[in-house]
Amino acid sequence: MQNPLFSFIRDLYNTSDFIPLHAPIFTGNESLYVQHTIESTYVSSVGAYVDQFEDSLANYCGVAGAVAVVNGTSALQVALYASGVGYGDLVITQSMTFVATCNAIHWLGASPVFVDISSISLGLCPDALKTFLDENCVVTARGCMHKQSGKIVKAVVPMHTFGHPVQMDELIAVCEQWDIAIIEDAAESLGSLYRGKCCGSLGTTYAALSFNGNKILTTGGGGMVLCKEKSAARYLKHITTTAKLPHSFEFEHDEYGFNFRMPNLNAALGCAQFEQLENFIVDKRLIASSYQEYFDGSDFEFIREPDYSRSNYWLNAVLCPSESARNKLLNESVEAKVMLRAVWKPMHQLEIYKGCIKGNLEKTDYYAKRLVNLPSSVRGN
């Protein structure tokens, strides 16, 4: 007998076909705007849609400037780079995240440090962060130093897991005490609000967004750095376009730059998607409400938005009563042709990152064994 959850999901999406975890939807001006770029021949890194997309996101999120790049990983990498993160430094983040968070740190020559998550948000826990710093670090003239390694903690990167905002006020209070910058990994949280403010506008310096095909708004492939200051946005625009100085015919580059520019073709898609963002959020929240009602009173706990927030519910998630119950549900979903997914394997359990410095990760390990993501695509009209 098939698990009734899959019948519920089929009714939710009104289909008997295979149901993906999160698929894009194109019901607006996507084809029109992309065709405009083709007709203009400005399909690469120069074009009006890039400027429009950056301005739209900066205004929406309430920041001074935004810089469009090729993906969310590159957005986080240049945000870290501009914050002074480099070879031999440490960056504190959560172990329960997508691997791109740690890869962005690694490719700058720095190392991630893993601190536990909060049951309130499933993001970086301010109490765990404070405990780790109190027990392992000291403030020096060079900055916050990890006593055992002698390395400097240059940044803290909280990730808004599944679109649920972290406890930013508490995290900022801890980081101010230790003089550490906060860079938001807001890849999953476009449209989510923390105490009425957009995720991506909450950190002390920069935030990174992703527009991958599975995000609430997609450019096919793309990302963006949100900047608290216009001067920072100008600098990031410069270094992400190979640090080329303006000139009518000479190629002069004044520092080591990145070739991370978003093509106009992708930005056109993003502009059309952005016009529908609020409608996407409304539907995703309706889907989340339906899941919540379905699981109420069961042995499975639906992951709800924190009380202080409005989540975009990028990915809906349910906490299973045990690891065996999780595995049973996942195995059944394959046969039912309804895509469910286990949460990412924690970074400290991956061979490539298992040697990193870490605090007590009890909650991370607990949730990683029990969390399952549910189909969360925006529905068509």
Side-chain angles (χ1 to χ4, degrees), residues 212-231:
N212 188 34
N214 66 352
K215 295 301 188 290
I216 188 168
L217 179 162
T218 186
T219 59
M224 192 167 291
V225 188
L226 301 177
C227 308
K228 300 297 280 285
E229 298 178 0
K230 285 188 178 296
S231 59

Side-chain angles (χ1 to χ4, degrees), residues 34 37-46 262-266:
V34 169
T37 67
I38 293 171
E39 292 170 355
S40 74
T41 74
Y42 287 96
V43 297
S44 192
S45 56
V46 176
M262 176 184 283
N264 196 41
L265 204 64
N266 297 81

Side-chain angles (χ1 to χ4, degrees), residues 285-315:
R285 289 181 59 80
L286 287 172
I287 292 168
S289 180
S290 296
Y291 277 131
Q292 181 176 320
E293 184 177 346
Y294 178 84
F295 286 110
D296 277 350
S298 74
D299 293 332
F300 294 77
E301 178 188 348
F302 180 72
I303 302 300
R304 306 183 187 192
E305 64 190 359
D307 291 341
Y308 52 72
S309 71
R310 180 196 79 166
S311 176
N312 68 7
Y313 281 102
W314 171 61
L315 282 185

Side-chain angles (χ1 to χ4, degrees), residues 39-189:
E39 292 170 355
S40 74
T41 74
Y42 287 96
V43 297
S44 192
S45 56
V46 176
Y49 283 113
V50 175
D51 295 337
Q52 180 182 330
F53 193 41
E54 290 174 336
D55 291 343
S56 295
L57 267 294
N59 291 333
Y60 179 85
C61 294
V63 295
V67 179
V69 292
V70 292
N71 53 48
T73 310
S74 61
L76 184 56
Q77 185 175 345
V78 295
L80 290 162
Y81 174 83
S83 299
V85 175
Y87 183 81
D89 292 330
L90 299 177
V91 176
I92 297 175
T93 190
Q94 57 206 66
S95 181
M96 198 175 84
T97 185
F98 183 53
V99 71
T101 304
C102 296
N103 289 345
I105 297 166
H106 168 80
W107 288 116
L108 290 172
S111 299
V113 174
F114 300 122
V115 167
D116 212 0
I117 59 172
S118 166
S119 298
I120 295 173
S121 69
L122 300 186
L124 195 67
C125 176
D127 293 334
L129 175 62
K130 183 179 186 305
T131 298
F132 178 85
L133 291 170
D134 288 343
E135 293 179 352
N136 297 281
C137 297
V138 62
V139 176
T140 71
R142 294 167 55 216
C144 176
M145 184 181 75
H146 182 252
K147 289 184 287 188
Q148 185 174 358
S149 67
K151 295 181 177 182
I152 301 299
V153 178
K154 280 288 182 70
V156 169
V157 179
M159 194 267 289
H160 303 294
T161 307
F162 309 146
H164 304 315
V166 298
Q167 296 157 272
M168 281 301 300
D169 287 346
E170 293 86 344
L171 287 171
I172 288 172
V174 174
C175 289
E176 284 180 345
Q177 179 184 350
W178 288 88
D179 194 25
I180 308 172
I182 295 183
I183 300 168
E184 287 177 83
D185 185 342
E188 304 171 2
S189 58

